Amino acid sequence: MKKFNTTAVCVPSKHYMVDLSDKIEGIEKLIDDGKYFTINRARQYGKTTTLEALIRKIEKKYLVMSLDFQEISDSVFETEGSFVQGMARIICDARDFMETRIPDEYYGAFKNLDSQDSKMVKMDELFRIFSRWCNSSEEAIILIIDEVDSATNNQVFLDFLAGLRALYIKHQKNAAFKTFQSVILAGVTDVKHLKSKIREEDQHKVNSPWNIAADFDIDMSLSEDGIKGMLDEYEADHNTGMDTDAIAHLIRDYTNGYPYLVSRICEIIDNNLIPDKFDSLSEAWTDRGIDEAIKKILSEESTLFESLIGKLENYPNLKSSLRRVLLRGEVIAHQPDDDEQKQLRMYGFIVNNHNTVAVANKIFEMRLYNYFIGESNKNNDLRQIAAANKSVFVDDDGLLDIRKIMEHFIIEHNRIHGEQTAKFLEEEGRERFITYIAPIINGTGTYDIEPQTRNHKRMDLVIHYLGRRYIIELKIWRGERYNSDGEKQIRDYLDYWNLDTGYMLSFNFNKKKKSGVERVSIGNKVLFEGTV
């Protein structure tokens, strides 16, 4: 089992490792180039694990002083003196407990700071010790501070950043003056965007005390190849017979490489599905096992999803926009300076996808679909009808009868909403069908929308149910049903999904339309087309 430059994907029987070599090399180059930077990524994104691997890689080359702000209490940030003394204590602890190579002279100086009356201790005393140490050291010194989020709302921390900035600028002006080779701040918050007043008397001029920081654009997500390498290692131990290529592709497709979600899927399959869902690991490490793991993730409480929903509640405008993106296919332009978007990007919940806003991964999307549908009361009538008739839509073999679902939906929809305008139907129709189908599959299956089809004209709803896939094209009908080109598109579409039967639900605004579900043969394929 690999021990270095890796991140653990947690399964209870053993920690299997995803190779981080490329990421570590990228970070090491920033250090070699003397860059100061922030590793800001979402929670449970592997920041601390990456730092541990980085330190192991560079500690023979540099003197690394690694600190963790989790080790100091909130009261430390109340005054300048208490902050300086808190810093002095965790620096001394780094030598006492982590064997950091701090010379006696400077170790004693830090100890002396902590022994004084805090009201008399000033920030510049801390930086004088830093300067003397860096200028006398034969080794270049790297300062790493993890979990900086607890400090970012405090003025004394901003003053500390300003002090680091002053040392950096002094070195840039005079190379003979030595300071830290590199400073790395790790946390969720992008410290570079913090602002502090340049002068107390000037209320309008603000400046970031961390504007010296280099951009950190190293991809911290887990690649498909990295996930496969971990699965290969697992397979060598367990001999499940899984197709590691296919399973890695599926996990990456659902998670977009979000480390916690990758780890959680693997943990559930390894530990939670036998014997309740499967008889063996060979049966669990399959498409259906991944479906079961994702279903469990979507139903469980976690701080990650609480944070996602909490952030959306704090930004109602963006929440409303994301709702329209997911349920109506609208497009939100990526705006790098928009505060709400910056916050959600920083917390890892949205990404820039070709200059448009996209939810960061399919699991987040699926959770949001459930949330948006669940919180809405406007389609409660359809939801309650579907829930009451749930057993009607499952055949004797336990499979979903999609044709019957569409038939019942069309009848109930036209009964409840048949008199509404075409524009209203176009805006709301697909959301209503998703609302209708959610209680039918919840508890047994999940659903998502293929992102490349999510637009005003079309959405492909993919239902995952007991190891089977059902794809329903939700379409705004705007003219001729389909021609020879359209038939070929449908055949190719079903071939892509390796299916012989497809489903289409068209929202037709023609008053002379014929509602209902029709069976259509297209070559050797069967299409059930429903018209609302």
Side-chain angles (χ1 to χ4, degrees), residues 156 197 401:
V156 290
K197 285 177 286 194
D401 189 334

Side-chain angles (χ1 to χ4, degrees), residues 26 121 134 160 163 168 192 213 225 237 270 275 285 292 294 324 389 481 495 516 520:
V121 178
C134 291
F160 175 72
Y168 177 87
K192 189 165 62 173
D225 286 342
D237 283 348
D270 184 68
W285 283 102
E292 290 293 337
I294 291 171
R324 296 195 302 272
N389 294 320
R481 178 193 281 171
D495 284 339
V520 181

Side-chain angles (χ1 to χ4, degrees), residues 7-9 18-20 23 45 219-227 252 255-260 262-263:
T7 186
V9 171
V18 176
D19 195 353
L20 286 178
K23 305 181 197 309
Y45 216 94
D219 185 0
M220 297 278 285
S221 65
L222 302 182
S223 68
E224 186 173 324
D225 286 342
I227 297 169
R252 171 71 189 188
T255 65
N256 207 19
Y258 198 112
Y260 167 77
V262 173
S263 183

Side-chain angles (χ1 to χ4, degrees), residues 415-475:
R415 180 178 64 83
I416 297 169
H417 301 292
E419 299 303 317
Q420 290 174 337
T421 65
K423 183 178 187 303
F424 192 81
L425 178 62
E426 180 174 354
E427 291 182 349
E428 301 285 345
R430 292 178 296 188
E431 179 179 340
R432 287 179 184 156
F433 183 70
I434 295 171
T435 300
Y436 186 79
I437 208 163
I440 296 173
I441 64 174
N442 278 353
T444 306
T446 59
Y447 63 93
D448 66 271
I449 305 292
E450 280 296 298
Q452 68 270 24
T453 69
R454 189 170 50 228
N455 56 51
H456 279 297
K457 294 182 180 180
R458 172 188 165 204
M459 283 183 181
D460 289 347
L461 175 67
V462 184
I463 298 173
H464 314 263
Y465 194 91
L466 297 178
R468 289 178 177 263
R469 298 287 185 274
Y470 304 86
I471 291 85
I472 310 172
E473 181 177 344
L474 307 180
K475 185 176 182 180

